[in-house]
Amino acid sequence: MAVPLIDPRDLDFALWRVLDAEQLTRYARFADHGRETFDAVIETARRIAEEKFRPHAAKSDANEPYLENGKVVLIPEIGEAVRAFAEAGFMAAHHDTERGGMQLPWTIQQAAFAHFKAANVPTAGYPFLTIAAANLIHAHGSEEQQRLWMQPMLEGRFFGTMALSEPHAGSSLSDVRTVARRLDDGTYAIKGSKMWTSGGEHEISQNIVHMTLARIEGAPAGVKGLSLFIVPRYRLDETGNPSVPNDVRLIGLNHKMGYRGTVNTALSFGEEDGCIGWIVGAPNRGLLQMFHMMNEARVGVAFGAIMLAYQGYLESLAYARERPQGRHPGDKDPTTPQLALIEHADVRRMLLQQKAVAEGGLMLALDLALRIDRSTHDPDPQVRKRESLLLDFLTPIIKAWFSDQSLVANHNALQIFGGYGYTRDFPVERIYRDNRLNPIHEGTNAIQAIDLLGRKASIHDGAAFAAVVEAIDATLAEAAGIAEVKLIRDATKEARDRLVETTDALMKDSTRIGPIRLLANAEAYMDLAGLTVFGWIWTRQAIEAAAMLKAGQDPDFARGKLAAARYAARWELPRSEQRATLLQSLDATLVDVQDSWF
């Protein structure tokens, strides 16, 4: 029997008990909704994910996209699944009813989407990118662009991509060479090439809309000269339907170790000088606009990593309960029955690590979605500002720290299976390969760490950092005096104090030591901040678990939450001391080492 996509008790605990997401119905936009409609949406997502997404996960991995007569061929189940997703309204779920949406909170849309990521993260990549591209046009595009390009995306007829990286530049967007030349009718001739474009070529939609960064002729060098363009696979006729090809050419497919069902492409624009793009917003504002999609994608990549960790956890938990293996240390009698794997202490360690990352990550991803809803819809400008500041600081943490730790979780899942783990008899080897891409997707984790220390820790005179510390302090105050929570509260308080002390010290030293020395140890800062946030979300869960235990509600579930919090406090958070010591010493090991020494 297949494991569940998500333990429904856990989703309910995070969504309704810890986060109290039902509070969103107080906002006028969501006033027509209630817990019943939210639950119905999530149940519909679970059903479609189970029936249409999960069954072909292994098949799409074994049969990756290929070219036939110049066209990309995907297994048919991918198109069928995405059509079912769109027909159920999930492409447009959070948009206005006038646009065919349900005006759902982003929180509920993400709770629903978590099931598709858990079922088959490569197939979920197509709607994931399309939703993000449509949101970008909604935020920055003109009314005509929304009508011509966004609306067909919401209907599932057009799909979207991000066309950012280039073969010579990778993540270094300041080195983008794709050129845009203004034409007499106000459109632009686009010429250049793009690399690593997921969903860049296929036959499962009528059109593909590439959200493309390019440099208008004469624009400044670096990222300040980038503009954002809509560059479709096909241009539209007078009725708004795809017509002639737009000189967007497939150069080749990238064959990956994971995410094989998500076609990944190298593209050429304007080889025959016939590629037309429509500028979004003002010239030279492209990167600022693209951050709307990039930040959404970063949280989405992290959520995918977390759901892969979650699936690995549930698979290895089921196996550990069923698989007899060995006996307790000291039991030398071979005639005694073998124990289930879960009886062994080190297996329990690996299960607790997975549980802590998967369940903690799920809650944090939903927490950020809730903050997006508040930052957009709360009538109080101070609330909107505070939530935006929290999102600024927490986005690189969920992307980098949780994708790293989710991969560790999948490592532990595979280890529990032993030799079976690295065979195709079980899904954990595929899950591990899929997840290995996430520390690279949407800005490598090193870039996220540099962004966190170099920008987010000091942005708005430290206001984003202060907002996170304030939120942590509120949780610590709430946890005071609850005996079952003391261990995780105290460990989180120690990590919080180290983070504050270290951040203050680094900001004071930043001018003196310069950016190279400051950012050389950014990975350690990411780990320190990630551990602190990890403690914070587990303190919040422990508070609610203690209340459940006191009320006699599902005591085993509550004790499981408290055990995961205890694991986080004793096994993970103590690492914050070493990270703080290293950072405050301004260690120069990584700066001083010379390439000839390697």
Side-chain angles (χ1 to χ4, degrees):
M1 180 181 293
V3 301
L5 296 173
I6 304 172
D7 183 341
R9 297 180 304 167
D10 189 36
L11 183 60
D12 286 353
F13 177 80
L15 199 56
W16 310 122
R17 181 137 196 163
V18 180
L19 298 176
D20 186 23
E22 200 168 359
Q23 66 184 276
L24 291 168
T25 58
R26 301 170 191 165
Y27 295 148
R29 179 174 179 81
F30 311 128
D32 291 339
H33 293 298
R35 173 73 182 271
E36 287 186 2
T37 59
F38 293 160
D39 282 339
V41 167
I42 292 169
E43 173 57 23
T44 299
R46 184 204 62 75
R47 178 180 54 78
I48 296 173
E50 287 276 14
E51 295 175 359
K52 297 293 186 179
F53 279 67
R54 174 181 261 182
H56 70 271
K59 182 179 178 180
S60 65
D61 179 71
N63 298 271
E64 61 182 326
Y66 65 93
L67 282 174
E68 187 175 87
N69 298 323
K71 296 184 180 295
V72 173
V73 179
L74 307 176
I75 63 168
E77 292 89 340
I78 293 175
E80 293 168 8
V82 178
R83 281 191 291 276
F85 181 98
E87 288 168 2
F90 285 110
M91 290 285 198
H94 60 292
H95 284 273
D96 294 346
T97 54
E98 291 81 3
R99 296 190 182 276
M102 294 181 268
Q103 289 188 197
L104 283 176
W106 186 244
T107 309
I108 305 305
Q109 200 270 5
Q110 290 298 286
F113 203 23
H115 292 80
F116 299 102
K117 291 178 182 291
N120 188 331
V121 75
T123 294
Y126 297 97
F128 164 61
L129 288 165
T130 302
I131 290 168
N135 288 343
L136 177 58
I137 296 173
H138 185 257
H140 298 288
S142 66
E143 288 188 11
E144 183 181 34
Q145 288 170 344
Q146 292 178 28
R147 177 178 61 83
L148 292 176
W149 306 108
M150 182 190 78
Q151 190 61 42
M153 291 186 194
L154 301 186
E155 295 166 4
R157 296 188 292 113
F158 294 5
F159 284 8
T161 79
M162 304 170 70
L164 311 182
S165 298
E166 297 185 359
H168 64 282
S171 299
S172 182
L173 297 180
S174 62
D175 296 307
V176 162
R177 294 176 185 166
T178 299
V179 174
R181 176 172 54 86
R182 196 175 193 278
L183 302 175
D184 292 341
D185 63 357
T187 62
Y188 287 78
I190 309 295
K191 195 175 188 67
S193 59
K194 294 294 180 179
M195 187 64 164
W196 313 117
T197 303
S198 294
E201 184 79 2
H202 53 72
E203 304 301 321
I204 59 176
S205 64
Q206 296 175 14
N207 208 349
I208 302 173
V209 180
H210 303 290
M211 305 306 296
T212 304
L213 287 181
R215 197 180 307 279
I216 297 173
E217 289 181 337
V223 296
K224 292 182 180 179
L226 294 176
S227 298
L228 177 62
F229 296 88
I230 293 170
V231 182
R233 184 188 188 194
Y234 298 106
R235 298 181 211 165
L236 306 182
D237 61 20
E238 63 278 0
T239 66
N241 291 310
S243 59
V244 298
N246 192 35
D247 197 10
V248 177
R249 303 295 179 85
L250 176 68
I251 300 173
L253 303 181
N254 296 309
H255 299 284
K256 305 165 293 176
M257 69 179 287
Y259 270 79
R260 290 177 174 172
T262 307
V263 63
N264 190 273
T265 61
L267 300 173
S268 174
F269 296 163
E271 279 188 13
E272 298 181 0
D273 298 322
C275 182
I276 302 299
W278 287 260
I279 193 167
V280 178
N284 304 332
R285 302 284 292 173
L287 186 59
L288 290 174
Q289 295 163 341
M290 183 58 86
F291 269 122
H292 187 283
M293 186 172 183
M294 290 167 67
N295 284 331
E296 180 180 329
R298 285 168 177 171
V299 176
V301 164
F303 209 170
I306 289 160
M307 296 320 299
L308 287 167
Y310 206 118
Q311 276 296 287
Y313 166 56
L314 294 181
E315 292 284 355
S316 62
L317 174 61
Y319 185 78
R321 284 172 166 163
E322 296 169 0
R323 168 73 173 179
Q325 184 76 47
R327 295 163 183 83
H328 279 309
D331 183 356
K332 306 300 183 183
D333 184 356
T335 65
T336 58
Q338 292 191 83
L339 300 171
L341 277 171
I342 200 168
E343 295 295 325
H344 296 288
D346 199 55
V347 171
R348 293 183 177 188
R349 173 188 65 82
M350 292 186 282
L351 288 171
L352 279 171
Q353 187 274 339
Q354 294 179 74
K355 179 180 175 70
V357 169
E359 295 180 4
L362 172 65
M363 199 207 87
L364 182 60
L366 295 173
D367 177 83
L368 296 193
L370 188 66
R371 295 185 190 284
I372 289 171
D373 281 322
R374 288 175 181 158
S375 69
T376 306
H377 301 295
D378 198 280
D380 186 340
Q382 292 303 312
V383 171
R384 296 197 303 271
K385 180 180 179 180
R386 183 194 68 217
E387 299 297 353
S388 294
L389 288 169
L390 282 157
L391 287 164
D392 277 343
F393 195 83
L394 293 172
T395 293
I397 291 175
I398 193 172
K399 195 281 168 182
W401 196 86
F402 273 90
S403 66
D404 275 339
Q405 295 304 312
S406 292
L407 192 61
V408 174
N410 287 155
H411 163 94
N412 285 330
L414 195 151
Q415 193 73 13
I416 288 171
F417 276 86
Y420 286 113
Y422 50 73
T423 71
R424 293 187 179 180
D425 295 347
F426 293 92
V428 288
E429 66 87 25
R430 169 173 50 82
I431 289 170
Y432 182 91
R433 286 188 288 103
D434 282 345
N435 220 351
R436 182 58 189 88
L437 277 62
N438 287 318
I440 297 172
H441 274 160
E442 305 308 334
T444 66
N445 285 358
I447 291 172
Q448 305 303 317
I450 289 170
D451 179 52
L452 182 68
L453 178 55
R455 288 187 64 249
K456 300 302 174 58
S458 58
I459 195 171
H460 305 305
D461 295 322
F465 178 72
V468 172
V469 173
E470 182 181 345
I472 293 171
D473 287 346
T475 297
L476 294 175
E478 185 182 357
I482 304 175
E484 296 89 346
V485 181
K486 185 178 188 308
L487 197 64
I488 184 63
R489 179 192 182 277
D490 290 351
T492 302
K493 176 66 163 59
E494 290 173 0
R496 175 261 187 220
D497 291 347
R498 290 167 184 146
L499 178 62
V500 170
E501 181 182 350
T502 300
T503 303
D504 288 346
L506 291 176
M507 294 303 104
K508 288 175 183 176
D509 279 325
S510 61
T511 302
R512 178 178 63 82
I513 65 177
I516 294 177
R517 182 81 174 271
L518 173 70
L519 299 176
N521 298 327
E523 186 277 338
Y525 186 81
M526 173 61 76
D527 197 31
L528 174 59
L531 287 164
T532 306
V533 171
F534 191 50
W536 172 49
I537 59 178
W538 270 107
T539 303
R540 292 166 69 186
Q541 292 196 87
I543 291 169
E544 293 301 327
M548 288 179 65
L549 201 59
K550 184 176 181 180
Q553 299 171 341
D554 203 347
D556 284 341
F557 177 85
R559 289 190 179 98
K561 288 291 184 184
L562 293 171
R566 181 179 179 184
Y567 168 84
R570 299 304 298 269
W571 284 79
E572 301 290 349
L573 267 65
R575 191 167 71 244
S576 66
E577 181 177 11
Q578 184 274 336
R579 293 316 218 179
T581 300
L582 174 72
L583 287 159
Q584 291 182 43
S585 73
L586 302 178
D587 181 76
T589 300
L590 305 182
V591 176
D592 293 342
V593 66
Q594 300 176 23
D595 64 357
S596 62
W597 300 353
F598 285 99

